[in-house]
Amino acid sequence: SSAFAKLPDAAGDEIFAVNHAFTIDPHPQKVSLALGVYRTNEGKPWPLPSVRKVEEKLFAENDINRHEYQAIEGDKVFLKLTRDLIFGFNGRTESLAEKQAKRRIASVQTVSGTGANHVGALFLAQHLKPKHVWISNPSWPNHQTIWSLVGVPRKTYPYFNSRTRSFDFCATIDILDSEAQEGDVIVLHACSHNPTGIDPTMEQWIAIADLCEKKGLFPFFDCAYQGFASGCLDEDAWAVRLFFNKQPRMEMCVAQSFSKNFGLYGQRVGAFHLVTNGDSAAVIDLVVQNLCHIIRGEYTMAPRGGSTIVRRILEEDALRKEWQRDLIEMSSRIKAMRRALLNELRILNTPGNWDHIINQSGMFSYTGLTLKQVLALKDRHHVYMVKSGRASISGLTESNVLRVARAIDDVVR
Ligand code: PLP
């Protein structure tokens, strides 16, 4: 028999499976609220106008080097710009304090946010050797997969309180305080927690940072929605910068994705930044060398097509401003759809309280629908979402929101 006949069951990713079921459903009024991708009010993908402009320029320039290999660590200019974007350096004026702060950071280009999470996890597994990694319950399911692949024992902190439909701050602090061990890694969502759409308040973030310091935990920020969540790049980076600027200095890292905020999903653009507590160039060199060792062995280098687009937008003032308008367009439409859904549910007098739909932020709403209700939505109404009841709000449009509200109304009665 085959050497692979007894492989463990590794059923495919639920989100992509639901998306496939949606794709093959012939119903003319089907609605997908499954995949975390931006859609226009016509339900179509949206290549950002700022991205299109750069694509046209690049095509016209016809640079013969555009398909050449790049350095293993990636495009250095792209890395500086993306570092500045998340940590809040403006790139022009540079005080002594800023210069020193930048010297704390080692950056490499990655295969999008997933690749940044993976390279970071593997690096920490090998060189920090944490006893555990703490992942929120629930979280982006890939966090569990990524950390299991690198062999670090996983524990969860109880992020979501289903009774209050809010962040269970006290339970999180309690468990970390009593059970986390020095050197453990804690995965934190920088903004727009996936799947709940609920982030800690500023006071709660401050308490989490203090706890990390007190217990010697290593914060691992996953940042997949900067600028996409609120429309404001600085607001969405607030928690990362709080930890970064904390005194005494902490070591930490950030996995940065450009899938959502540049609409470059399939281009796989990302970066991993590891922050040290000193500003020794020798230590940074060692970190970069070791990250490059992993990258070389796994895929040699991240792709350069999408990262060139991001670099050009971040380095040219006019394009950057246009991109910020694109971010506002996307985040505003999502906020408007949250309001529209809530409004329709109120008009229908749907049983229950649905205020959480507008209190949550970012791509997703954790609707509170049960598995049975989610299945009924699909079977009776051709409205698709994942089993947890997480709805990707950008699948809503002005023309389908009433249909979705009626479907929800039907399944909860
Ligand atoms: N982290 C979180 C929390 C996400 O929601 C996502 C995308 O859905 C990612 C990371 C990474 O996505 P990508 O690999 O497409 O950049």
Side-chain angles (χ1 to χ4, degrees):
S1 78
S2 164
F4 309 109
K6 295 213 163 67
L7 284 183
D9 185 12
D13 187 275
E14 189 208 352
I15 300 169
F16 282 91
V18 175
N19 194 52
H20 178 68
F22 168 77
T23 311
I24 59 173
D25 182 345
H27 194 275
Q29 285 176 311
K30 62 185 178 177
V31 179
S32 174
L33 307 179
L35 208 55
V37 290
Y38 182 75
R39 292 288 178 257
T40 63
N41 195 39
E42 287 69 48
K44 297 269 184 327
W46 194 53
L48 269 49
S50 52
V51 166
R52 281 192 49 187
K53 247 184 213 161
V54 175
E55 285 173 327
E56 280 159 21
K57 279 188 188 198
L58 291 170
F59 185 74
E61 285 168 17
N62 193 19
D63 176 4
I64 60 162
N65 293 313
R66 66 187 180 278
H67 299 311
E68 292 297 289
Y69 287 128
Q70 55 181 5
I72 294 172
E73 70 191 87
D75 174 341
K76 287 199 174 63
V77 179
F78 163 86
L79 289 171
K80 285 201 173 96
L81 290 160
T82 54
R83 173 201 67 192
D84 293 357
L85 189 71
I86 184 67
F87 294 104
F89 306 122
N90 74 22
R92 284 187 214 100
T93 52
E94 201 180 45
S95 64
L96 183 62
E98 245 183 43
K99 254 191 199 138
Q100 283 169 344
K102 286 178 186 173
R103 285 206 290 260
R104 295 177 59 196
I105 308 168
S107 305
V108 291
Q109 198 181 320
T110 58
V111 181
S112 211
T114 306
N117 272 278
H118 169 70
V119 165
L122 189 52
F123 175 87
L124 294 176
Q126 291 176 350
H127 303 297
L128 184 71
K129 300 187 173 55
K131 291 204 180 63
H132 308 105
V133 56
W134 291 85
I135 297 171
S136 65
N137 179 22
S139 193
W140 183 49
N142 220 7
H143 285 145
Q144 290 284 346
T145 309
I146 287 167
W147 284 91
S148 80
L149 287 174
V150 302
V152 174
R154 292 155 284 144
K155 292 200 168 193
T156 57
Y157 55 97
Y159 195 84
F160 184 70
N161 182 321
S162 54
R163 194 178 45 80
T164 57
R165 292 216 178 98
S166 60
F167 168 44
D168 211 334
F169 172 68
C170 295
T172 290
I173 294 286
D174 278 355
I175 197 161
L176 292 172
D177 203 13
S178 57
E179 290 186 25
Q181 297 179 30
E182 190 175 349
D184 279 0
V185 171
I186 174 169
V187 177
L188 298 162
H189 297 227
C191 63
S192 272
H193 181 270
N194 177 2
T196 66
I198 303 163
D199 294 322
T201 62
M202 287 181 178
E203 290 72 29
Q204 290 170 343
W205 273 124
I206 292 169
I208 296 168
D210 288 345
L211 186 77
C212 288
E213 183 201 333
K214 179 179 123 188
K215 300 276 301 182
L217 308 184
F218 188 95
F220 190 125
F221 273 100
D222 184 8
C223 184
Y225 300 94
Q226 190 186 359
F228 187 93
S230 68
C232 172
L233 291 159
D234 295 328
E235 192 177 322
D236 293 346
W238 189 88
V240 170
R241 294 176 193 171
L242 169 80
F243 280 63
F244 178 64
N245 294 315
K246 193 169 165 51
Q247 293 295 340
R249 290 168 167 183
M250 309 171 124
E251 310 216 290
M252 59 183 276
C253 66
V254 183
Q256 198 179 17
S257 163
F258 299 100
S259 297
K260 323 278 162 161
N261 52 6
F262 282 86
L264 287 169
Y265 307 93
Q267 293 291 341
R268 316 308 292 142
V269 194
F272 176 72
H273 308 280
L274 188 124
V275 180
T276 60
N277 53 11
D279 51 13
S280 152
V283 174
I284 295 295
D285 263 4
L286 278 174
V287 173
V288 172
Q289 274 176 26
N290 279 278
L291 287 167
C292 285
H293 180 72
I294 292 173
I295 292 170
R296 179 64 167 141
E298 294 212 330
Y299 52 87
T300 289
M301 70 196 55
R304 67 186 287 164
S307 64
T308 304
I309 295 173
V310 170
R311 187 190 82 210
R312 293 288 285 263
I313 291 177
L314 293 178
E315 73 188 347
E316 285 178 38
D317 256 0
L319 282 167
R320 194 179 172 113
K321 288 208 177 86
E322 180 160 358
W323 169 58
Q324 281 174 266
R325 286 195 294 275
D326 297 342
L327 285 172
I328 289 170
E329 161 121 14
M330 292 190 287
S331 53
S332 308
R333 199 187 89 70
I334 289 181
K335 284 181 206 162
M337 284 301 113
R338 285 182 185 278
R339 282 193 300 274
L341 180 60
L342 177 64
N343 201 28
E344 299 295 359
L345 291 169
R346 281 186 180 155
I347 293 169
L348 291 166
N349 258 323
T350 306
N353 181 343
W354 299 92
D355 291 349
H356 54 282
I357 293 175
I358 55 165
N359 296 333
Q360 299 163 347
S361 85
M363 185 82 94
F364 303 111
S365 173
Y366 214 48
T367 57
L369 292 169
T370 62
L371 175 60
K372 209 168 137 211
Q373 292 164 342
V374 169
L375 295 176
L377 274 180
K378 172 168 77 85
D379 296 340
R380 298 216 290 264
H381 301 281
H382 304 267
V383 172
Y384 290 75
M385 61 176 80
V386 289
K387 283 189 295 209
S388 63
R390 181 197 82 166
S392 179
I393 296 293
S394 79
L396 295 174
T397 66
E398 279 165 11
S399 42
N400 72 19
V401 66
L402 176 57
R403 205 180 111 66
V404 171
R406 283 193 180 132
I408 293 176
D409 184 78
D410 174 53
V411 302
V412 300
R413 275 183 198 275

